[in-house]
Amino acid sequence: MWTAVRCWARQNPVIVDLALVGVVYLCTLIAFGARFSERPSAHPMATDALLAAAATAPLLARRRAPFWALGIATAVCVIVQATGGEVAPLITPLSVALYNMAVRTERRTAWTAAAVTAACTIGPAVLWAPGLLLGPQRLGALTWIGLATALGDSVRSQRAYVKALTERATRAERNREEEAARRVTDERMRIARELHDVVAHELTLITTQSSISIHLGQRDPAVLVDNLVAIRNHSKQALDELRAIVGLLTQPGDGATPRDPVPGLHRLEELVASFARAGLRVEVVKEGEKQSLPSAVDLAAYRIVQEALTNVRKHGGVDVARLRVGFGHDAVRITVENSGSVNAAAPDNSASGGTGRGLISIRERTAAVGGQVVVGRRPQGGFSVDARLPFVRPVRMAEQPSGVGR
């Protein structure tokens, strides 16, 4: 109910101002009439009505000109007292003007205006009217001036507090939306990396083995059968990994959650064997004592090896690659090298059909676990990928940009 009234008042400010001025004017006239019944006023009733109108009418402009509304009401009070009248009947418009001033201005300004108004209101009474310095009339006027200013200041403070809470809630909601959008983007990029790594690796092996089958199958049926079996196995593995990735996008109840283990360095021998069947021999060197890695680091290490060897198979122009896996006390280091020609190791993207997504994926996976990676040509020829993946994510991540994408 009260909320509806406030909404209506905000939508009809002119009607509210007219009603307020009318009520204040009637209260002022009643106060003048009460004073006249107690003892004759210093002015005729018509003059009192004009003075009441002069003090009340400026309240119509109280929203746009609060200083003028208060100044005119104060001036009328001074005039009334200078001509032998009393300020008590004009307390109502004066209090409304002071309340309006306190609501629409800062605290220091409002209380300064209240002090000036009190001086201008009580000062003439002390000079021109007999009686005690702080008699009942003057003390009552001071009390109303203080109450009106205090009430207006309280309302202003409450409105400022509510506004601050509203802005804070709005800002928090906006931050939540931005955070949700950022998480959606991060998840989309993560899924894109997974899809790229799976498709690029498996299809590269399938394409290579298909080419071998075309050239050697007619002369050696056994090679054809072996390659077809390998193609079938790689296709099945690719479908299983794609099914696992797509399963992450399903909602609860949309189907069974994939139960396949997440790829990691425990599948390194299987990965190397798949490249061997595709014609790339990988020399593996393991250093340090093997440790149990966090799942994110384990997956990143596996995908980095997979993508680096895929690049060698597609672009290196060599049959041998070297893989070094070193386990330290706080990090695992992955190094993949080949001795292919510079042009073959990093061909032009337009000629090879590459998009640069592979090396970007390596850098993104390394940065995601707080590691560093160096990708580029070797001084003695060929190409290398050297990644260091810490077991514990550091406070600040650093990455050494280098190399070019395919």
Side-chain angles (χ1 to χ4, degrees):
M1 178 64 180
W2 177 244
T3 303
V5 172
R6 293 181 63 183
C7 292
W8 180 88
R10 290 195 188 99
Q11 296 173 359
N12 302 274
V14 176
I15 298 177
V16 172
D17 288 344
L18 290 175
L20 174 65
V21 170
V23 171
V24 172
Y25 181 69
L26 288 177
C27 292
T28 306
L29 284 182
I30 293 173
F32 272 118
R35 302 299 298 172
F36 185 82
S37 62
E38 294 177 4
R39 58 172 178 249
S41 174
H43 313 104
M45 284 301 298
T47 303
D48 290 340
L50 290 176
L51 291 173
T56 306
L59 295 178
L60 290 172
R62 63 189 178 88
R63 301 177 189 273
R64 298 184 301 274
F67 287 96
W68 282 102
L70 178 59
I72 294 175
T74 304
V76 173
C77 291
V78 174
I79 293 172
V80 167
Q81 293 183 88
T83 55
E86 296 181 354
V87 74
L90 296 173
I91 284 297
T92 302
L94 193 64
S95 299
V96 173
L98 283 168
Y99 170 84
N100 178 72
M101 171 70 72
V103 167
R104 301 183 185 281
T105 59
E106 297 180 354
R107 175 171 298 170
R108 178 178 299 180
T109 303
W111 284 103
T112 301
V116 173
T117 301
C120 294
T121 302
I122 306 302
V126 174
L127 293 176
W128 298 322
L132 297 175
L133 179 62
L134 288 178
Q137 301 295 333
R138 299 164 190 172
L139 188 59
L142 285 175
T143 302
W144 280 106
I145 290 173
L147 285 177
T149 305
L151 180 60
D153 183 61
S154 175
V155 171
R156 181 195 57 78
S157 299
Q158 183 182 16
R159 289 180 181 177
Y161 176 71
V162 172
K163 182 180 179 181
L165 289 181
T166 304
E167 291 178 352
R168 185 182 304 171
T170 303
R171 186 165 55 254
E173 181 66 23
R174 184 167 59 249
N175 291 338
R176 281 195 296 270
E177 293 175 356
E178 293 175 353
E179 178 65 17
R182 187 189 64 79
R183 290 184 179 180
V184 169
T185 301
D186 292 344
E187 183 67 14
R188 186 171 66 248
M189 294 300 297
R190 188 186 69 81
I191 295 174
R193 287 195 302 267
E194 292 291 335
L195 289 174
H196 171 270
D197 292 345
V198 171
V199 172
H201 167 64
E202 301 297 344
L203 290 185
T204 296
L205 298 182
I206 291 172
T207 302
T208 302
Q209 291 165 346
S210 300
S211 300
I212 295 174
S213 300
I214 293 174
H215 290 290
L216 302 180
Q218 296 178 351
R219 291 179 296 177
D220 191 349
V223 174
L224 177 61
V225 173
D226 292 341
N227 286 338
L228 290 177
V229 171
I231 290 173
R232 181 194 63 184
N233 293 336
H234 287 309
S235 301
K236 182 177 182 301
Q237 183 176 351
L239 288 175
D240 290 342
E241 293 197 24
L242 287 175
R243 189 179 298 111
I245 295 173
V246 174
L248 298 175
L249 304 177
T250 59
Q251 298 294 330
D254 289 348
T257 303
R259 298 173 182 265
D260 296 338
V262 177
L265 291 182
H266 62 278
R267 293 178 54 181
L268 187 60
E269 295 181 359
E270 178 183 345
L271 180 65
V272 171
S274 67
F275 279 102
R277 288 191 295 269
L280 177 65
R281 184 167 60 89
V282 182
E283 299 176 353
V284 181
V285 177
K286 296 183 179 179
E287 300 174 347
E289 184 178 355
K290 186 177 181 180
Q291 303 185 37
S292 178
L293 304 178
S295 59
V297 176
D298 202 17
L299 175 61
Y302 178 86
R303 292 303 189 196
I304 290 172
V305 172
Q306 183 185 58
E307 184 59 39
L309 292 177
T310 301
N311 284 352
V312 173
R313 187 65 191 87
K314 291 182 64 177
H315 306 301
V318 295
D319 297 330
V320 179
R322 289 175 295 279
L323 168 62
R324 182 181 295 105
V325 181
F327 291 91
H329 69 282
D330 62 347
V332 59
R333 185 169 182 175
I334 305 295
T335 305
V336 178
E337 298 176 335
N338 71 88
S339 57
S341 63
V342 173
N343 292 335
D348 180 68
N349 290 339
S350 61
S352 65
T355 62
R357 185 65 235 178
L359 297 183
I360 293 175
S361 176
I362 291 176
R363 292 190 176 94
E364 288 178 346
R365 288 187 181 279
T366 305
V369 295
Q372 304 88 35
V373 62
V374 177
V375 180
R377 300 180 179 88
R378 302 170 64 220
Q380 60 271 36
F383 210 72
S384 71
V385 174
D386 188 3
R388 181 183 181 276
L389 310 179
F391 300 157
V392 180
R393 187 187 183 94
V395 177
R396 290 187 177 180
M397 295 186 302
E399 181 175 352
Q400 303 175 9
S402 61
V404 293
R406 56 178 172 81

